[in-house]
Amino acid sequence: MFRARCLYGEPCFCYFVRVKVVTKSAEETKDAARAWLNPKFAGSGSGKATVVALIGNLGAGKTTFTQAVAEALGVKENITSPTFVIEKIYKLKGQKWQNLIHLDCYRLDKPEELLHLGWAEIASEPENLILVEWADKFPELFTHAEKIYFNHGEGDHREINFT
Ligand code: ADP
Ligand code: MG
């Protein structure tokens, strides 16, 4: 694939509609997360929350990706999968968004459960960046979300497909 040199780093997310990245360590997945995040600081947004669906099996790197996004946005807390609490909200300071919201649908059975957590409201607020693990359980709630697909390869290999 042709790759441009990019101010934000490689891989370049400025011009390509689809980018496939193979990473060989958690740190490389974090590099991909940072490269994905950087161009998002530009632009005025859609008037709604920025919703990102992280799709892939257990251990494929969804939380690792989210950790790098959180670190890049100045979050000091340790980020773990919100599997049991379902939702974690991190207040951001001096960033494009005021909140990073990390959701995990793994333990939810029905989309109504997410709606009861106030999904419609948090998804409508432009100050929210929302990363959702296991969003593919309820595709009807994420038709307009950006989707990132994670595949677990051999050993430490992971394939990440950005759409
Ligand atoms: P998920 O949230 O998709 O279940 P996690 O990010 O929690 O996955 O876990 C991924 C695990 O795999 C972590 O322990 C991480 O250190 C390890 N790992 C090894 N190689 C990679 C890689 N290339 N990308 C992401 N994580 C990796
Ligand atoms: Mg996880």
Side-chain angles (χ1 to χ4, degrees):
M1 186 203 295
F2 168 77
R3 288 195 186 279
R5 277 214 165 271
C6 173
L7 282 177
Y8 295 122
E10 297 289 344
C12 170
F13 291 87
C14 302
Y15 304 109
F16 295 114
V17 178
R18 284 171 185 275
V19 175
K20 175 176 126 179
V21 179
V22 175
T23 67
K24 299 185 194 71
S25 66
E27 200 45 49
E28 284 188 17
T29 289
K30 290 185 172 188
D31 287 341
R34 289 185 276 267
W36 166 83
L37 180 66
N38 270 329
K40 293 204 167 311
F41 288 108
S44 55
S46 64
K48 295 180 180 167
T50 303
V51 182
V52 186
L54 307 178
I55 298 165
N57 286 341
L58 221 51
K62 304 179 294 297
T63 300
T64 302
F65 187 94
T66 306
Q67 284 167 346
V69 170
E71 282 162 21
L73 293 172
V75 174
K76 301 283 181 240
E77 288 149 83
N78 187 32
I79 308 289
T80 53
S81 278
T83 311
F84 292 98
V85 292
I86 315 296
E87 177 183 72
K88 290 191 94 173
I89 302 177
Y90 302 93
K91 288 270 166 218
L92 305 176
K93 289 197 192 103
Q95 299 291 342
K96 175 173 178 173
W97 304 276
Q98 289 175 23
N99 303 296
L100 170 66
I101 301 180
H102 188 192
L103 276 163
D104 191 339
C105 297
Y106 187 69
R107 295 185 69 83
L108 299 180
D109 294 319
K110 293 179 290 198
E112 289 75 24
E113 293 173 84
L114 203 53
L115 296 173
H116 289 150
L117 282 171
W119 172 251
E121 195 185 337
I122 63 166
S124 69
E125 300 290 350
E127 63 262 28
N128 294 335
L129 171 61
I130 309 175
L131 269 57
V132 189
E133 300 194 31
W134 297 96
D136 46 319
K137 285 187 77 175
F138 311 123
E140 63 273 42
L141 292 184
F142 301 101
T143 46
H144 299 298
E146 177 175 347
K147 295 168 185 77
I148 305 177
Y149 296 89
F150 296 79
N151 286 309
H152 202 309
E154 288 287 314
D156 289 346
H157 285 218
R158 305 288 188 273
E159 186 182 298
I160 311 173
N161 283 283
F162 297 86
T163 57

